[in-house]
Amino acid sequence: MMMHDFSYRGNELYCEKVLVRDIVKKVGTPLYIYSYKTFVEHLRKLQRAFATVRPLICYSMKANSNLAILKTLVDKGAGLDIVSGGELYRARRVGCPPEKIVFAGVGKSFEEIEDAIRYGILLFNVESVPELELIERAAGRLKAKVNVSLRINPGVDPQTHDHIATGKAESKFGLDIQTATRIFADKSRYKNLSLCAIHVHIGSQIVTGSPFVEAFRKTLRFIDKLAKQGTVIKYLNVGGGLGVIYDSENPQTAAQFARRILPLFKGRKFKLVFEPGRFIAANSGILVGQVLYVKQTQVKNFAIVNVAMNDLIRPSLYGAYHGVLPLKRNTRAPKEVYDVVGPICESGDVLAKDRHMQELHPDDYIALMSAGAYGFVMASNYNSRPRAAEVLVRGSHFEVVRKRESLQQLVEGETIPAFIA
Ligand code: LLP
């Protein structure tokens, strides 16, 4: 099955029906390019796989929160998983219905909580007792009844990179079962809250069903215990975390995932909520750059490109793998082994290591694949590099959905105080 809509026709890379080189000629590089079709298809895969239970699929916008992407997904029925006031603002800008918004994160501020209550979001995913008390206070002030889901930490190893594992006992996320039990036992203390949901998210880029099954089993046992004490759970939010193909992974498909987990929930009355980010966004985008220099040392060949860790930090931060494809393929060209590196003054500014690929030359364009999730959203201005532009392709159309940052924007908000003059 087609994983995404970036492919060669002849020897030229296309996004859907558009020649990537045509976009690059017009918009320049570094450049993120997204496929509308791939985004929608991945949402649909989940919608289809779980059609029988009609879940609420809240796209986790931290993965890619460009307004055009959010609008695309919201129009196709997705809700949104938000983690900040900024993400709430984006959700509102695309008109996401409040009853399709869930709010997660360990450090919500009072102001963010109030704004979300005013907008009337569906659920707060609560991660600590002090947070619960703060939401109670905000709800009281606004005379609102607020739905809360407790994020429990099931103590499961998701078998993924340490930095993106969140369900282990020592992680900062969620509440252990004992604490959650106590909170439910004390629920009458929270007059303005309805403790009606459970949330569980154990980590990201999880490629097999087993960690999910283990976590959900534990969660269901907890829900059964609550039922005996008279607590009815109306929503079970099972988080995100579905793994994708970056290299040679063989992750479960949406259908396989559904077959594996749906039996667990048979006969249950609660509504399932999902928060997928990477599954929808990762393969839906690429990051295009241009070779500046090819540098040969005694031990390595470096392809120095105009894309850097400030544009895509995943390889530096997690040792993550992103495929590298030339926009113009030449199957007869000699092969070489390259480290693809950026111009930033850090030895960690590596985008790809030891890649066996066609010989590269200055001015060649390359695409870093599967960069649609946790790409642009994690970009910074390090080394005073303006952030990349973003383009959305649909069929034979494309449009810039975020302009390249200008040098002027780079210093916007900075001032030189008189006292240093
Ligand atoms: N729900 C919660 C509560 C989360 O913390 C996350 C991701 C998601 C949903 C979405 O997870 P996904 O379906 O995308 O796996 N920057 C890292 C990933 C960090 C994930 C943070 N939380 C990376 O580039 O791999």
Side-chain angles (χ1 to χ4, degrees):
M1 200 189 299
M2 210 42 186
M3 175 171 109
H4 55 68
D5 297 274
F6 298 90
S7 60
Y8 287 108
R9 268 201 244 157
N11 284 321
E12 294 265 19
L13 192 70
Y14 279 74
C15 174
E16 301 192 21
K17 295 194 174 120
V18 181
L19 180 64
V20 172
R21 219 152 37 87
D22 282 345
I23 308 176
V24 163
K25 263 193 248 152
K26 213 163 153 194
V27 189
T29 56
L31 176 63
Y32 276 97
I33 300 177
Y34 307 127
S35 158
Y36 175 92
K37 183 155 173 268
T38 315
F39 264 102
V40 170
E41 239 339 279
H42 281 77
L43 172 64
R44 290 229 166 99
K45 282 181 195 197
L46 280 172
Q47 287 171 331
R48 277 195 296 265
F50 289 94
T52 54
V53 297
R54 313 190 96 261
L56 175 60
I57 299 178
C58 293
Y59 167 63
S60 190
M61 75 153 89
K62 65 171 82 65
N64 185 327
S65 56
N66 185 288
L67 294 179
I69 301 303
L70 301 182
K71 178 83 171 109
T72 296
L73 296 171
V74 166
D75 278 356
K76 299 294 177 202
L80 296 172
D81 158 36
I82 65 169
V83 292
S84 69
E87 289 195 348
L88 178 61
Y89 176 72
R90 287 178 180 274
R92 298 176 69 152
R93 286 290 299 261
V94 298
C96 182
E99 66 277 9
K100 288 186 169 181
I101 297 178
V102 297
F103 191 171
V106 295
K108 306 173 190 80
S109 73
F110 194 68
E111 207 184 353
E112 288 174 323
I113 292 169
E114 281 199 326
D115 282 350
I117 294 175
R118 277 197 210 96
Y119 193 52
I121 66 161
L122 179 68
L123 277 171
F124 282 87
N125 298 334
V126 169
E127 311 226 12
S128 69
V129 175
E131 184 194 338
L132 198 61
E133 279 160 8
L134 199 61
I135 299 174
E136 164 73 10
R137 206 141 53 77
R141 240 174 66 156
L142 297 171
K143 304 204 180 349
K145 185 89 177 171
V146 170
N147 287 338
V148 158
S149 89
L150 291 193
R151 174 168 181 184
I152 58 162
N153 184 340
V156 168
D157 182 355
Q159 295 151 25
T160 182
H161 192 289
D162 260 355
H163 288 179
I164 51 178
T166 53
K168 295 202 227 175
E170 61 269 32
S171 111
K172 73 171 176 182
F173 298 101
L175 297 150
D176 59 75
I177 302 265
Q178 292 89 306
T179 310
T181 308
R182 237 182 313 116
I183 293 171
F184 276 108
D186 283 355
K187 69 176 178 209
S188 58
R189 283 185 45 201
Y190 304 103
K191 302 264 177 296
N192 307 304
L193 307 182
S194 163
L195 272 59
C196 62
I198 299 285
H199 175 225
V200 56
H201 169 86
I202 54 173
S204 205
Q205 184 56 12
I206 303 170
V207 291
T208 71
S210 319
F212 290 110
V213 170
E214 192 190 337
F216 300 161
R217 283 219 173 101
K218 283 192 179 169
T219 308
L220 287 169
R221 279 203 291 276
F222 180 55
I223 290 176
D224 289 338
K225 218 168 67 183
L226 293 175
K228 289 203 189 99
Q229 296 158 7
T231 297
V232 180
I233 294 302
K234 289 201 280 196
Y235 301 92
L236 173 60
N237 180 341
V238 295
L242 284 172
V244 304
I245 301 175
Y246 286 103
D247 182 10
S248 53
E249 299 90 342
N250 184 19
Q252 61 206 327
T253 63
Q256 286 165 338
F257 182 56
R259 274 199 297 279
R260 191 85 195 269
I261 71 161
L262 277 181
L264 301 175
F265 303 127
K266 219 171 176 157
R268 301 279 178 167
K269 298 236 158 51
F270 47 69
K271 191 169 187 71
L272 276 179
V273 181
F274 290 92
E275 300 172 334
R278 189 189 315 269
F279 181 83
I280 291 175
N283 288 315
S284 306
I286 62 174
L287 172 58
V288 181
Q290 191 170 25
V291 177
L292 299 170
Y293 304 99
V294 175
K295 173 171 172 174
Q296 284 160 342
T297 71
Q298 281 174 352
V299 287
K300 281 218 178 244
N301 294 318
F302 291 101
I304 302 170
V305 297
N306 67 347
V307 171
M309 67 192 281
N310 76 297
D311 301 301
L312 178 68
I313 204 174
R314 303 193 68 257
S316 307
L317 199 54
Y318 316 115
Y321 180 100
H322 288 269
V324 181
L325 294 181
L327 293 197
K328 218 182 176 122
R329 181 169 65 175
N330 180 354
T331 45
R332 278 181 305 225
K335 294 264 195 292
E336 266 297 356
V337 179
Y338 294 101
D339 276 11
V340 180
V341 300
I344 283 182
C345 305
E346 298 247 2
S347 33
D349 185 20
V350 177
L351 298 154
K353 258 194 143 64
D354 296 323
R355 295 305 164 80
H356 192 69
M357 56 187 297
Q358 83 186 39
E359 204 171 63
L360 292 172
H361 304 279
D363 298 338
D364 285 354
Y365 289 107
I366 53 137
L368 290 152
M369 305 304 290
S370 314
Y374 307 109
F376 182 86
V377 287
M378 293 179 83
S380 76
N381 292 123
Y382 189 35
N383 278 205
S384 285
R385 291 169 52 86
R387 281 180 296 173
E390 294 174 286
V391 159
L392 182 64
V393 173
R394 182 180 186 184
S396 49
H397 301 278
F398 73 89
E399 196 167 308
V400 175
V401 292
R402 186 186 163 110
K403 281 194 226 160
R404 183 175 310 289
E405 241 172 2
S406 66
L407 296 177
Q408 178 61 39
Q409 283 174 304
L410 213 51
V411 293
E412 217 160 56
E414 293 181 28
T415 48
I416 298 174
F419 61 69
I420 63 171

